[in-house]
Amino acid sequence: MKNNVNREIPDQLLKTQNDQGFQMTDFGQPTIQRVAPKVKAQTGPSKVVESIKQVVAATVRDGMTISFHHHFREGDFVFNMVMREVIDAGYQNLTLAPSSLTNVMNDIVVEAIQKGTVTNITSSGMRGSLGDAVSHGALKNPVIFRSHGNRARAIESGEIKIDVAFLGVPNADEMGNANGMNGDAAFGSLGYALMDAQYADKLVLITDSLMPYPNTPASIKQTQVDYVVKVDQVGNPDKIGSGATRFTKDPKELQIARMVNDVIVHSPYFKDGFSFQTGSGGAALAVTRFLRQAMIDNQIKASFALGGITKPTVDLLEEGLVNRVMDVQDFDKGAASSMKNSPAQQEIDASWYADPANKGAMVDKLDVAILSALEIDTKFNVNVMSGSDGVIRGAIGGHQDAATAKLTIISAPLVRGRIATVVPDVTTVITPGDSIDVLVTEIGIAINPKRQDLIKTLSKVPGLPIYSIEELQQKAEKLVGRPKPLAFKDRVVALAEYRDGSLIDVIKEVED
Amino acid sequence: MKNNVNREIPDQLLKTQNDQGFQMTDFGQPTIQRVAPKVKAQTGPSKVVESIKQVVAATVRDGMTISFHHHFREGDFVFNMVMREVIDAGYQNLTLAPSSLTNVMNDIVVEAIQKGTVTNITSSGMRGSLGDAVSHGALKNPVIFRSHGNRARAIESGEIKIDVAFLGVPNADEMGNANGMNGDAAFGSLGYALMDAQYADKLVLITDSLMPYPNTPASIKQTQVDYVVKVDQVGNPDKIGSGATRFTKDPKELQIARMVNDVIVHSPYFKDGFSFQTGSGGAALAVTRFLRQAMIDNQIKASFALGGITKPTVDLLEEGLVNRVMDVQDFDKGAASSMKNSPAQQEIDASWYADPANKGAMVDKLDVAILSALEIDTKFNVNVMSGSDGVIRGAIGGHQDAATAKLTIISAPLVRGRIATVVPDVTTVITPGDSIDVLVTEIGIAINPKRQDLIKTLSKVPGLPIYSIEELQQKAEKLVGRPKPLAFKDRVVALAEYRDGSLIDVIKEVED
């Protein structure tokens, strides 16, 4: 059957008889019975064990679900250390349930798949050799892609049941009190990992810095931790930060950032106490800089900035232009290290950030969100997952979650090289057009027709070219032509869930 | 049958066929399936409702379990405001499950009992008119007294299932982000209340200070809160602090404090990195002062101070004599207000503080605990619950929990007025003698015979009189005589659990 973004969902993938796949962005007010871990009591003086090998042997069994976080990003050493032992020990049929998979994890996951160690994966995304392998049918069962908020929801509801979580931390004491703010490999907020810490039956911390007991502030608490392993190094500091704190000089990115700023500033949401999420990357940082100037010029202060936080956003806090910074992750060292010193910079977990199934997520209070896109189509549906060749090379991240903002802006170039960004139909629908308000490209903007109010308001802004999304699509097509349709096999290799757990799209095996 | 502290437990009160009541202080390493709340999702912009009356009507139903915290102590306004509405609405057969009951709550609970509103109570303790009423058989079912750690355990395991928690806070925003550190009625750590926040199906915050969104630091998070009610005043600041930060001038208290210090300093635990819990009250503060001097003289620094925290303990932190202060509650304004500014002063919940059924509680790492007693007997069993007339007038607090320290010292006068503290048999066993190491009175100390090592070590300390516990009991009896045995009726009015949930004693209805 076809779901509400017109995607064919094979019947056998629907969860219940009434399941129709993705229907609407409104989550409603269901009452949900949460699950809780099985906890083995311990009263001993230390949880430090000799080696990862030893702790893997003590905790992992065939068929289990094991999890990791991706806060170390491309500087992660922990994932490979643990997976090496897991593979070498010969475990089979594991489900891998990390918060996301970064490139540094790709090759060993491919190996784990080839050896039958891993037969199921749920993740925010994947890229590189792993995305390629999965797209070519390497994994036994379909990957389930979930947004950060949806992962939190799925963990709380028991859809993801983590047997063992292996969490790398830049500091911990012998009992497991740990945070992400101190140490050589500091990354700031432990936001995604806090879900694993609360819900995993067994929690293993891996650290390179054993601190005197008790180690505070304790984002992860000793009450949650079963084992602590000391290793030489948990991550490469140079690769943990995104390095993207530089201000872009690319004229196309600058032009987009300027127009994004124009849209925000002329929207009804730009007023004292507004809130925003800008994300990372060169264009996002440029937006933050333009927004800063606009706030000063208009004497407007924001109540909070949300999401993955960068140093330029923390600077706004220090300047008094933003009242609170809410960090579910930190993209650079500056943001990471400032959090420990400022009560106005609050570490939040993935549930608080974005889970629709709790008593209120931050994203529900968000006025303005700026998001990216690999593709956006004439229904404003966005793809951040599959490339123009149909191969998986992206991540949902908080895309679906933050798109619930009152003003959701997609910031994207009209074309990338010889590939159109604005297309008739996206390859994979990740975020439904219903939650997207404005597309900003370097040549002008398109406003979702459901936002007649914005069309009216923004039409008055001098120097802000407004097109229909179809016009932008045609302009893109004129530049790069229309590619021939992708060829897929029948086999489904990945499922994309919407944040409520419904299926918004499926990804099929690519033809060679 | 008789349990392992020789107390007769009526068969019908035992939980299972194998239940033999309290057996031992060692909790072992059981694996326990935790429970979790039912959560109703919401995405609205505000949770503020008009009145307590309205929120009571929306949440409370006959037969439910409702809970409160006692962090406002004798300055609490919230409990009475809520209970007034609950009683007036005519609800019946409720279970009252507060972290404890302070005197300011007594009269309205008695009224609620008389009207059938409340038929079950579990609490850390009770005193005054309420203790009197319960001791005379007013409550339909026996009260269950639980330590702070045991309450956390019982909530996590589902033995206490909180339907609605009404938590007073000195600040909160419209979504329910709150802490105990700011505002007129600030009390510091929300330690006990954090259990309710995590496990209650419905959570109502009552505050007198609505803060701009988002309010940080958020000890209670919006993800946990269903409703927020704004009232004029949540508490009387003058009565929230214990006021006991003055240094005692009572020569008897000073003598005891000096000897407590002697015991600590000459024990094998007084070395760099040791940890302690001193509690509140004049003698405890005097111990802290003596200990401070001993630490300076011996160039010894403590790793952490634990429990209910006072300003003099925070001073040790600021002086660098203590490395961390771990606050499950704060007894005075000084301790409360310093927490928000120091990452070395960590708010901990009751589970982390003292729950034996998690992956490690702070009390398990405790070297030295100084505790009080209403009575202590020749088996070193301690009573902190019932008076010499058999009437309930005390609270377990963290007594059983902290008694698991490596060196547990009971600090108590030999007699109080015409009443002996050291007795042949305590009226009610709350903390088993097995976990008590030393009794310190104003005339000398007694060491538990199971601690031959301490007897050997402390015998060498000049000017530290050591008696057997029987000798101290006889000296007390010589001073005040032997009272005639108390007369009780057959009916059990209260159960005292040990921290593992087993029955350590029962309290019977007093004869008039």
Side-chain angles (χ1 to χ4, degrees):
Chain A
M1 62 161 303
K2 281 193 171 174
N3 68 11
N4 218 3
V5 283
N6 210 33
R7 295 288 152 148
E8 185 71 42
I9 309 293
D11 285 347
Q12 69 274 20
L13 294 175
L14 297 171
K15 295 173 186 182
T16 64
Q17 197 135 25
N18 296 324
D19 184 2
Q20 304 184 288
F22 168 77
Q23 290 301 307
M24 57 184 170
T25 56
D26 182 7
F27 189 74
Q29 302 194 350
T31 296
I32 298 152
Q33 175 63 57
R34 294 237 172 126
V35 296
K38 276 200 195 73
V39 170
K40 183 171 181 190
Q42 57 174 295
T43 54
S46 172
K47 300 172 183 174
V48 177
V49 290
E50 197 63 26
S51 65
I52 291 177
K53 187 188 183 85
Q54 189 186 342
V55 84
V56 163
T59 56
V60 180
R61 298 292 174 267
D62 286 351
M64 278 189 169
T65 295
I66 63 175
S67 78
F68 301 83
H69 69 67
H70 72 293
H71 287 291
F72 290 117
R73 285 172 292 269
E74 299 301 343
D76 195 307
F77 290 168
V78 169
F79 185 89
N80 275 274
M81 286 191 282
V82 174
M83 286 304 294
R84 180 78 275 140
E85 298 297 342
V86 168
I87 293 171
D88 289 353
Y91 294 109
Q92 295 284 295
N93 296 316
L94 300 181
T95 294
L96 202 55
S99 54
S100 198
L101 291 162
T102 61
N103 282 309
V104 73
M105 305 169 185
N106 288 342
D107 291 349
I108 201 160
V109 178
V110 171
E111 181 188 341
I113 291 171
Q114 284 164 347
K115 291 182 172 164
T117 309
V118 167
T119 47
N120 286 279
I121 297 175
T122 178
S123 174
S124 163
M126 59 180 58
R127 296 181 172 85
S129 60
L130 175 59
D132 208 53
V134 167
S135 294
H136 285 86
L139 189 68
K140 186 173 175 192
N141 300 304
V143 171
I144 305 176
F145 289 116
R146 292 177 162 109
S147 74
H148 295 318
N150 186 28
R151 180 177 192 262
R153 186 199 60 72
I155 291 172
E156 289 166 349
S157 70
E159 289 166 48
I160 299 175
K161 170 69 202 155
I162 300 169
D163 294 298
V164 193
F166 295 94
L167 303 181
V169 282
N171 63 79
D173 64 32
E174 66 209 18
M175 294 298 284
N177 297 299
N179 64 61
M181 305 171 212
N182 298 310
D184 290 342
F187 48 72
S189 174
L190 267 158
Y192 305 130
L194 295 179
M195 301 310 301
D196 308 60
Q198 190 179 339
Y199 285 89
D201 278 351
K202 295 287 176 196
L203 177 52
V204 180
L205 290 191
I206 294 121
T207 190
D208 52 13
S209 181
L210 267 181
M211 305 294 291
Y213 182 88
N215 181 36
T216 69
S219 302
I220 293 175
K221 295 152 186 59
Q222 66 179 73
T223 51
Q224 305 172 316
V225 178
D226 294 273
Y227 302 94
V228 177
V229 188
K230 164 87 167 66
V231 297
D232 287 341
Q233 215 180 351
V234 289
N236 178 348
D238 296 337
K239 294 185 177 172
I240 294 170
S242 65
T245 52
R246 64 182 171 72
F247 189 72
T248 183
K249 286 179 179 150
D250 177 353
K252 201 199 269 188
E253 281 193 343
L254 277 173
Q255 176 67 2
I256 291 174
R258 226 175 260 124
M259 274 195 278
V260 167
N261 183 61
D262 270 349
V263 170
I264 296 170
V265 169
H266 293 94
S267 80
Y269 309 108
F270 188 64
K271 58 187 180 196
D272 229 37
F274 85 114
S275 58
F276 63 91
Q277 170 173 323
T278 50
S280 69
L285 296 174
V287 170
T288 304
R289 192 158 95 165
F290 287 125
L291 201 52
R292 172 183 171 275
Q293 196 55 50
M295 290 167 74
I296 294 170
D297 293 345
N298 295 278
Q299 294 188 291
I300 280 176
K301 290 177 182 180
S303 57
F304 68 89
L306 178 64
I309 301 301
T310 57
K311 183 66 169 61
T313 301
V314 175
D315 291 342
L316 297 182
L317 179 69
E318 281 163 15
E319 276 190 88
L321 291 171
V322 168
N323 207 26
R324 292 288 188 279
V325 172
M326 311 298 275
D327 307 46
V328 71
Q329 69 175 313
D330 295 290
F331 283 126
D332 55 52
K333 205 93 182 174
S337 68
S338 69
M339 194 168 64
K340 65 184 164 190
N341 300 314
S342 172
Q345 203 181 340
Q346 168 96 38
E347 183 176 43
I348 62 174
D349 65 30
S351 179
W352 189 359
Y353 169 53
D355 173 20
N358 69 28
K359 296 173 181 177
M362 291 292 301
V363 291
D364 296 325
K365 297 281 277 188
L366 202 52
D367 289 318
V368 179
I370 300 137
L371 301 170
S372 63
L374 288 175
E375 294 177 328
I376 178 167
D377 67 23
T378 51
K379 282 72 69 184
F380 284 87
N381 294 325
V382 176
N383 170 23
V384 286
M385 184 56 72
S386 50
S388 61
D389 52 0
V391 172
I392 296 164
R393 55 164 56 92
I396 305 181
H399 203 283
Q400 297 168 342
D401 304 311
T404 57
K406 295 186 188 70
L407 174 61
T408 300
I409 300 168
I410 299 295
S411 135
L414 195 64
V415 298
R416 289 183 175 93
R418 295 302 302 163
I419 297 163
T421 306
V422 191
V423 295
D425 277 291
V426 291
T427 309
T428 308
V429 182
I430 293 297
T431 300
D434 192 50
S435 60
I436 306 299
D437 299 297
V438 181
L439 163 67
V440 177
T441 71
E442 69 277 22
I443 67 157
I445 73 169
I447 302 168
N448 192 323
K450 68 177 267 200
R451 293 303 305 267
Q452 289 297 318
D453 59 322
L454 284 178
I455 292 174
K456 203 170 154 188
T457 308
L458 296 175
S459 296
K460 296 170 198 154
V461 179
L464 185 64
I466 303 183
Y467 298 97
S468 72
I469 187 86
E470 291 80 7
E471 286 172 322
L472 289 182
Q473 184 271 315
Q474 284 149 19
K475 283 175 185 290
E477 191 172 315
K478 255 189 204 147
L479 287 171
V480 297
R482 182 160 227 173
K484 70 168 195 239
L486 291 171
F488 290 102
K489 299 185 182 175
D490 281 343
R491 183 173 167 216
V492 172
V493 296
L495 315 177
E497 287 191 358
Y498 187 60
R499 61 199 295 261
D500 62 2
S502 66
L503 283 180
I504 193 155
D505 209 345
V506 299
I507 300 173
K508 295 193 171 175
E509 187 176 339
V510 293
E511 295 270 11
D512 281 316
Chain B
M1 61 158 306
K2 283 193 169 173
N3 69 11
N4 218 5
V5 284
N6 210 34
R7 297 286 153 147
E8 186 70 40
I9 309 293
D11 285 347
Q12 69 274 18
L13 294 175
L14 296 171
K15 295 174 185 179
T16 63
Q17 198 136 21
N18 296 325
D19 185 2
Q20 304 184 287
F22 169 77
Q23 290 301 308
M24 58 184 171
T25 55
D26 182 6
F27 189 75
Q29 302 194 351
T31 296
I32 297 151
Q33 175 62 56
R34 294 239 171 125
V35 296
K38 276 199 193 73
V39 170
K40 183 172 180 189
Q42 57 173 296
T43 54
S46 171
K47 300 171 183 175
V48 178
V49 290
E50 197 61 28
S51 65
I52 291 177
K53 189 188 181 85
Q54 190 186 340
V55 83
V56 164
T59 55
V60 181
R61 298 291 175 266
D62 287 351
M64 278 188 170
T65 296
I66 63 174
S67 78
F68 301 84
H69 69 69
H70 72 293
H71 287 289
F72 290 117
R73 286 173 290 270
E74 299 301 343
D76 194 307
F77 292 166
V78 169
F79 186 88
N80 275 274
M81 286 191 282
V82 174
M83 285 304 293
R84 182 79 274 141
E85 299 297 343
V86 168
I87 293 171
D88 289 354
Y91 294 109
Q92 295 282 295
N93 297 317
L94 300 181
T95 295
L96 203 56
S99 55
S100 198
L101 290 162
T102 61
N103 282 307
V104 75
M105 305 169 184
N106 289 341
D107 292 350
I108 203 161
V109 177
V110 172
E111 182 189 340
I113 291 172
Q114 285 163 349
K115 291 182 172 164
T117 309
V118 167
T119 48
N120 286 280
I121 297 176
T122 179
S123 174
S124 163
M126 57 178 60
R127 296 180 173 85
S129 61
L130 176 58
D132 208 53
V134 168
S135 293
H136 286 87
L139 189 68
K140 187 173 174 192
N141 300 305
V143 171
I144 305 177
F145 288 116
R146 291 177 163 108
S147 74
H148 294 319
N150 187 27
R151 180 178 192 261
R153 185 199 60 74
I155 290 172
E156 289 167 349
S157 70
E159 290 167 47
I160 299 175
K161 170 69 205 157
I162 300 168
D163 294 299
V164 193
F166 295 94
L167 303 181
V169 281
N171 63 78
D173 64 32
E174 67 209 19
M175 294 300 283
N177 297 298
N179 64 62
M181 305 171 210
N182 298 309
D184 290 341
F187 49 73
S189 174
L190 267 159
Y192 305 130
L194 295 179
M195 301 310 301
D196 308 61
Q198 191 179 339
Y199 285 89
D201 278 353
K202 294 287 175 193
L203 177 52
V204 180
L205 290 191
I206 294 123
T207 191
D208 53 13
S209 183
L210 267 182
M211 306 295 289
Y213 182 88
N215 180 36
T216 68
S219 303
I220 292 175
K221 295 153 185 58
Q222 67 180 70
T223 51
Q224 305 173 316
V225 177
D226 294 277
Y227 302 95
V228 178
V229 187
K230 164 86 167 62
V231 297
D232 288 341
Q233 216 179 351
V234 288
N236 178 347
D238 296 336
K239 295 185 176 172
I240 294 170
S242 64
T245 52
R246 68 186 166 71
F247 190 70
T248 185
K249 286 177 179 151
D250 177 353
K252 201 200 270 186
E253 283 193 343
L254 277 173
Q255 177 66 2
I256 291 174
R258 228 174 259 123
M259 276 195 280
V260 167
N261 183 61
D262 270 350
V263 169
I264 297 170
V265 168
H266 293 94
S267 79
Y269 309 108
F270 187 64
K271 58 187 181 195
D272 228 38
F274 85 114
S275 57
F276 63 92
Q277 171 173 323
T278 50
S280 69
L285 296 175
V287 169
T288 303
R289 193 157 92 165
F290 287 124
L291 202 54
R292 172 183 171 275
Q293 196 56 50
M295 289 166 73
I296 293 171
D297 293 347
N298 294 277
Q299 293 187 289
I300 280 175
K301 290 180 182 179
S303 57
F304 68 90
L306 179 64
I309 301 300
T310 58
K311 183 65 168 65
T313 300
V314 175
D315 291 343
L316 296 182
L317 179 70
E318 280 163 16
E319 276 188 89
L321 292 171
V322 168
N323 207 26
R324 292 288 189 278
V325 172
M326 311 297 276
D327 307 45
V328 71
Q329 68 175 314
D330 295 289
F331 284 126
D332 55 51
K333 205 91 183 175
S337 68
S338 70
M339 194 168 62
K340 66 183 163 191
N341 300 315
S342 171
Q345 201 180 341
Q346 167 96 39
E347 183 176 42
I348 61 174
D349 66 30
S351 179
W352 190 0
Y353 170 51
D355 173 19
N358 68 30
K359 297 173 182 177
M362 291 292 302
V363 292
D364 297 324
K365 296 282 278 187
L366 203 51
D367 288 317
V368 179
I370 300 137
L371 301 169
S372 63
L374 289 175
E375 294 177 329
I376 179 168
D377 68 22
T378 51
K379 280 74 66 184
F380 284 86
N381 293 325
V382 177
N383 170 23
V384 286
M385 184 55 73
S386 51
S388 60
D389 53 359
V391 172
I392 295 165
R393 54 164 58 89
I396 306 181
H399 203 284
Q400 298 168 340
D401 305 312
T404 56
K406 294 186 187 69
L407 173 62
T408 300
I409 300 169
I410 300 294
S411 137
L414 196 65
V415 299
R416 290 184 175 91
R418 297 302 301 161
I419 297 163
T421 304
V422 191
V423 295
D425 278 291
V426 291
T427 308
T428 309
V429 182
I430 293 298
T431 300
D434 192 52
S435 60
I436 307 300
D437 299 296
V438 181
L439 164 66
V440 177
T441 72
E442 70 276 24
I443 67 159
I445 73 167
I447 302 168
N448 193 323
K450 68 175 267 198
R451 295 304 303 267
Q452 289 297 319
D453 59 322
L454 285 178
I455 293 175
K456 200 170 158 191
T457 307
L458 295 175
S459 297
K460 297 171 197 153
V461 180
L464 184 66
I466 303 183
Y467 298 98
S468 73
I469 186 88
E470 291 81 6
E471 286 172 322
L472 288 182
Q473 184 271 314
Q474 283 149 19
K475 282 174 186 289
E477 192 172 314
K478 258 191 202 143
L479 287 171
V480 297
R482 181 159 228 174
K484 68 168 202 255
L486 291 171
F488 290 102
K489 298 184 183 176
D490 282 343
R491 184 175 167 215
V492 171
V493 297
L495 315 177
E497 286 190 358
Y498 186 61
R499 60 199 297 259
D500 62 2
S502 65
L503 283 180
I504 192 156
D505 210 345
V506 299
I507 299 173
K508 295 193 170 175
E509 188 177 339
V510 294
E511 295 269 13
D512 280 318

